[in-house]
């Protein structure tokens, strides 16, 4: 299973971005997918996850109401729509897949390479 995150960039505070996580390999629809982020000098932190069915999602308090995760199993892709971006959202964003979903990075088996999101004030 391989994951490819894309869609990052440099934006201004208040702007929106949509990240994509393309998953190759078999049985994508059976995997939960999570997004994590890591800012310089900080530990990797949970952002959001979505269950294999798409019916269960969870968000970190810091992004709740601004970020939306979704998935298209026909396209083997998970999306992260980020609205009202803040400078504090600046980080490398990683997507991860696994048989379980949760808020801890070690619950996921496969990781993408990350995509940089920079929000200027």
């Amino acid at each position: 299973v391989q994951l490819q995150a894309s869609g990052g960039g440099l934006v201004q505070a208040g702007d929106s971005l949509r990240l994509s996580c393309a998953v190759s390999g078999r049985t994508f629809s059976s995997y939960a997918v999570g997004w994590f982020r890591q800012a310089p000098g900080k530990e990797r932190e949970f952002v959001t996850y979505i269950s294999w069915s798409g019916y269960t999602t969870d968000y970190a308090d810091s992004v709740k109401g601004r970020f939306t995760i979704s998935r298209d199993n026909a396209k083997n892709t998970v999306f992260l729509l980020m609205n009202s971006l803040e400078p504090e959202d600046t980080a490398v964003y990683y997507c991860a897949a696994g048989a379980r979903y949760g808020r801890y990075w070690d619950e996921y088996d496969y990781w993408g390479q990350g995509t940089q999101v920079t929000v200027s004030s």
Side-chain angles (χ1 to χ4, degrees):
V1 178
Q2 293 184 327
L3 291 83
Q4 179 75 38
S6 62
L10 172 62
V11 297
Q12 293 186 332
D15 286 350
S16 299
L17 273 178
R18 190 179 77 160
L19 305 184
S20 298
C21 177
V23 182
S24 61
R26 59 188 210 182
T27 62
F28 165 76
S29 60
S30 66
Y31 288 114
V33 175
W35 285 95
F36 292 76
R37 66 187 183 185
Q38 188 166 19
K42 295 187 177 181
E43 295 188 352
R44 190 170 299 189
E45 66 173 358
F46 166 75
V47 176
T48 180
Y49 66 67
I50 187 167
S51 64
W52 65 270
S53 67
Y55 289 133
T56 301
T57 59
D58 190 20
Y59 298 89
D61 288 344
S62 59
V63 307
K64 195 172 296 183
R66 300 187 298 122
F67 290 12
T68 303
I69 190 171
S70 61
R71 66 189 295 158
D72 185 338
N73 285 347
K75 296 182 178 179
N76 284 14
T77 304
V78 170
F79 302 100
L80 179 62
L81 176 61
M82 307 185 294
N83 293 324
S84 302
L85 282 163
E86 304 169 352
E88 292 74 21
D89 297 317
T90 296
V92 177
Y93 283 70
Y94 299 89
C95 58
R100 302 167 51 192
Y101 52 79
R103 289 181 165 227
Y104 300 98
W105 63 268
D106 58 358
E107 295 180 280
Y108 296 85
D109 302 308
Y110 309 100
W111 289 81
Q113 85 291 354
T115 184
Q116 176 71 47
V117 173
T118 303
V119 185
S120 64
S121 57

